[in-house]
Every structure is written in C-alpha cells, then in structure tokens.
Amino acid sequence: MKIEELICSVDLVIESASQNAVRFIVPQALQAGRDVMILSVGALADKELRETLFGLAKQHSCRLYFPSGAVVGIDGINSACAAGVSSVTLTTRKPPSGLMGAPYVVEHGIELEKLEKEMLLFEGPASEAVKAFPANVNVAATISLAGIGFERTTVKVIADPSLSRNVHEVNVEGEFGKFCTRVENLPSPDNPKTSYLAALSAISTLKKILNPFQIGT
Ligand SMILES: NC(=O)C1=CN([C@@H]2O[C@H](COP(=O)(O)OP(=O)(O)OC[C@H]3O[C@@H](n4cnc5c(N)ncnc54)[C@H](O)[C@@H]3O)[C@@H](O)[C@H]2O)C=CC1
Ligand SMILES: O=C([O-])CC(=O)C(=O)O
C-alpha cells in the first residue's frame, strides 16, 4: 500500500521513527486532514517546519499531539506558563552507550567508551541540544514547546558510566514558585535505546484522546 493510501485509511497517524520521518509524513497527513501524534519532537526545533506544521494543522482543523515522552513535569510546565516562567532547565544523564553515535559526540571526537567518571558533554539552548543529540533529547523539544521556547530552555547532557538508566531532571522557576522533577527511566523491554516511559506516554495520550474526561493539565 502506498503511504498516501495508508494515511487516508486511518484516523490518527503516529510518528515514532525519526526527525526525517516527521518532515516527510506529517505534512502529508495534515494535508489529508488526519490528526498526528509525534514522538520525534526534536524535529520541531526547526522553526520553519514548526510553523508549517502548526499552520497546516490549523488550516485542516487537525490536532497535533506531543506525548510527554520520557520526561515528567510537562503538566506542571503547562500550568506554570499560564503566568510568567523565568527559567526551565533539563539535565539529562545517560549511560555512555546510549549517547554513542550522536552527531555532537562524533564531531567532537569524544571517546565515550573510555569514560571512567561522569562528563558534561553539552550545555546550551534546547535549539542546539536537539540537533547535537537528535535521538537523545526529544524531551528537550517537548519541554520547549510546553514552556518558554527552544532558545530560553537550557539543556545539559551528561554521560555517566555508573548509570544503567536514563535520568532526566527538570527544574522550573516562575511566578508560581519552583519545582524539580526527576525520572530514572528503565529501557523499553524490546528496545534498549528508548526509555519505557516514552512508549507508555504514547499509550496514555491515546487514552486521553478517547476518554470523555481529562485528568491533569
Ligand atoms: N519524545 C520522547 O520522549 C522520545 C522520543 N524518541 C524518539 O522516537 C523515535 C522512535 O524511537 P525508537 O523506537 O527508539 O527508534 P528506533 O531507531 O529504535 O526505531 C525507529 C524505526 O523507525 C524506522 N524509520 C526511521 N526513519 C524512517 C522513515 N523516514 N520512514 C520509515 N521508517 C523510518 C527505523 O528504520 C527504525 O526501524 C525516535 O526519533 C526517537 O528519537 C525516543 C524516546 C523518547
Ligand atoms: O528515552 C529517553 O530517555 C529520552 C530520549 O531518548 C529522547 O528524549 O529522545
């Protein structure tokens, strides 16, 4: 079946492949009037693509869903942003094996396999983080969309050989006060690269779409 036919035969398209897949599939799906759930959220750091997708969704009366993914605290960021938010910081710690092959690691010739203690690989805005680590910090993009944008959201990426889990900490300060969340993610049972919670968040988003009631922000 051709991709155009496949899109037209479903109510909802779920992208869970890659940033390139977002560029290729999502515009087609929206133009065909289909709602879309996006997991490779990092693609939306590209302002032109972001504006195109939001524009198409509006034009074709479709919904775009961005699950919380592997991070916790999106509910709090959504609420906090109803007033002023002054800072949002994501600190991601991963075992070195989970970061190998990332463009930033390759370009800087970082020998992750030789690491004996934790190393801060990257600190900067989410806009740069998602390009430097496209398969590792989609969560930074989701946090940016929910919160204060890709330029004002700060991301730290740390490789830590003592870890076996992916750890994401989110610190938010604003007019509401401040909060900190921390999740220690186990890998998905059938995909060691990806945190189990990310897959569970897609299931939860499906339930939220279907439920007649909504709990949490
Ligand atoms: N939002 C979040 O919190 C999270 C997002 N992700 C992202 O979700 C996506 C899926 O994650 P995983 O299942 O771990 O990735 P994966 O790399 O294990 O599997 C992706 C699959 O999609 C296929 N694929 C990639 N591009 C494609 C294209 N253009 N057309 C057709 N198939 C294509 C690949 O061949 C592969 O089989 C990735 O982009 C990943 O970075 C992963 C974890 C958390
Ligand atoms: O699975 C995780 O812990 C997070 C991740 O890869 C991403 O956000 O892209």
Side-chain angles (χ1 to χ4, degrees), residues 76-88 148 152 171-179:
I77 295 175
N78 279 333
S79 302
C81 281
V85 169
S86 51
S87 75
V88 178
I148 55 176
R152 288 180 61 211
N171 283 277
V172 180
E173 286 196 44
E175 287 172 27
F176 72 97
K178 60 181 180 178
F179 75 74

Side-chain angles (χ1 to χ4, degrees), residues 43 47 53 74 91 139:
K47 190 165 178 262
L53 298 187
I74 300 292
T91 304
V139 288

Side-chain angles (χ1 to χ4, degrees), residues 121-157:
L121 300 182
F122 174 92
E123 180 168 4
S127 55
E128 287 175 26
V130 295
K131 287 178 194 141
F133 298 91
N136 298 109
V137 289
N138 286 283
V139 288
T142 312
I143 288 169
S144 301
L145 291 172
I148 55 176
F150 286 87
E151 297 309 326
R152 288 180 61 211
T153 302
T154 300
V155 178
K156 295 180 195 174
V157 179

Side-chain angles (χ1 to χ4, degrees), residues 15-21 24 38-41 67-71 134-136 138-139 142 191 193-195 198:
E15 177 287 319
S16 181
S18 63
Q19 293 193 12
N20 275 340
F24 177 60
I38 296 178
L39 270 302
S40 306
V41 195
S68 298
V71 79
N136 298 109
N138 286 283
V139 288
T142 312
N191 185 349
K193 271 187 358 195
T194 285
S195 297

Side-chain angles (χ1 to χ4, degrees), residues 36-54:
V36 183
M37 187 192 299
I38 296 178
L39 270 302
S40 306
V41 195
L44 278 91
D46 176 344
K47 190 165 178 262
E48 202 179 318
L49 179 67
R50 187 164 73 238
E51 287 175 355
T52 300
L53 298 187
F54 289 171

